[in-house]
Amino acid sequence: ETQALLQRSANAYRTTVNELLLAGVYLGIREWTGSTGVRVALEGHGRETLFERLDTTQTVGWFTTVYPLTLHSRGGHVSDAIKAVKEQYRALPDNGIGFGVLRHLAHDAELLARDAANAPQLVFNYLGQFDQSVNAATAFQAAGESTGQSHGADQPRGCNLVLNGKVAGGELTFALDY
């Protein structure tokens, strides 16, 4: 099923895996809440090639980006939702990288208030295919043990729900953090 999603399904709709998974999240929330508009925060690693003059090959780590996206679809069919989510996702300028800069550096009280009033309650993050970077042919393998809590118990949370997905061992898995 994971291979079908990664290869056949993405090709059928000319989407990325991230777009297909996000469409699935949209459909699930739409069915659960009955709302046709769903606002999510998308999280990314921030290492996309966006600017030709910016060379990050000698750096370590991620430049995490978090930006909101409101998803909606007029049609009731799954294919309508997939197409709508794909278009909305691709319409984001530079994968949302400027949102954090604008939000944190603008010091615009009206913008901050509007942002807080429309804050998403779900963060979605598809981490990608770990099988490509960590496998039996390398000296490194993923540990089977839990990494523990990602946030301190007394730390305020930005969103109520965090959904992280990845492909490891040939299997797509998601972890829902509340």
Side-chain angles (χ1 to χ4, degrees):
E1 291 174 333
T2 297
Q3 286 306 311
L5 172 73
L6 295 175
Q7 295 169 354
R8 292 191 303 268
S9 297
N11 288 339
Y13 288 99
R14 296 182 185 181
T15 62
T16 65
V17 173
N18 203 44
E19 292 164 345
L20 271 181
L21 294 172
L22 191 56
V25 168
Y26 165 74
L27 287 166
I29 293 173
R30 183 177 78 177
E31 183 177 321
W32 174 43
T33 65
S35 176
T36 58
V38 174
R39 190 164 175 86
V40 297
L42 300 177
E43 184 172 339
H45 54 68
R47 287 193 160 274
E48 297 89 353
T49 304
L50 298 174
F51 313 105
E52 290 181 23
R53 295 181 9 201
L54 182 62
D55 180 11
T56 59
T57 58
Q58 299 296 311
T59 62
V60 176
W62 289 5
F63 307 116
T64 302
T65 58
V66 180
Y67 47 93
L69 179 62
T70 301
L71 303 170
H72 51 86
S73 175
R74 290 189 177 102
H77 297 286
V78 171
S79 61
D80 296 327
I82 291 171
K83 292 172 189 172
V85 167
K86 176 178 78 170
E87 291 170 7
Q88 293 157 36
Y89 184 80
R90 291 182 183 183
L92 286 167
D94 298 324
N95 295 333
I97 199 162
F99 178 79
V101 173
L102 175 64
R103 186 169 141 220
H104 294 292
L105 299 179
H107 302 293
D108 183 328
E110 182 181 329
L111 177 65
L112 292 172
R114 190 171 58 232
D115 183 42
N118 295 315
Q121 295 302 306
L122 170 71
V123 173
F124 174 77
N125 186 9
Y126 172 62
L127 298 163
Q129 298 179 49
F130 281 55
D131 294 340
Q132 294 175 346
S133 58
V134 179
N135 60 41
T138 67
F140 296 100
Q141 292 186 15
E145 298 83 12
S146 169
T147 58
Q149 297 295 321
S150 60
H151 296 348
D154 59 344
Q155 182 180 4
R157 300 178 61 91
C159 283
N160 290 334
L161 297 170
V162 177
L163 185 60
N164 288 305
K166 67 180 179 185
V167 174
E171 182 178 37
L172 174 67
T173 59
F174 275 93
L176 180 63
D177 186 25
Y178 173 72

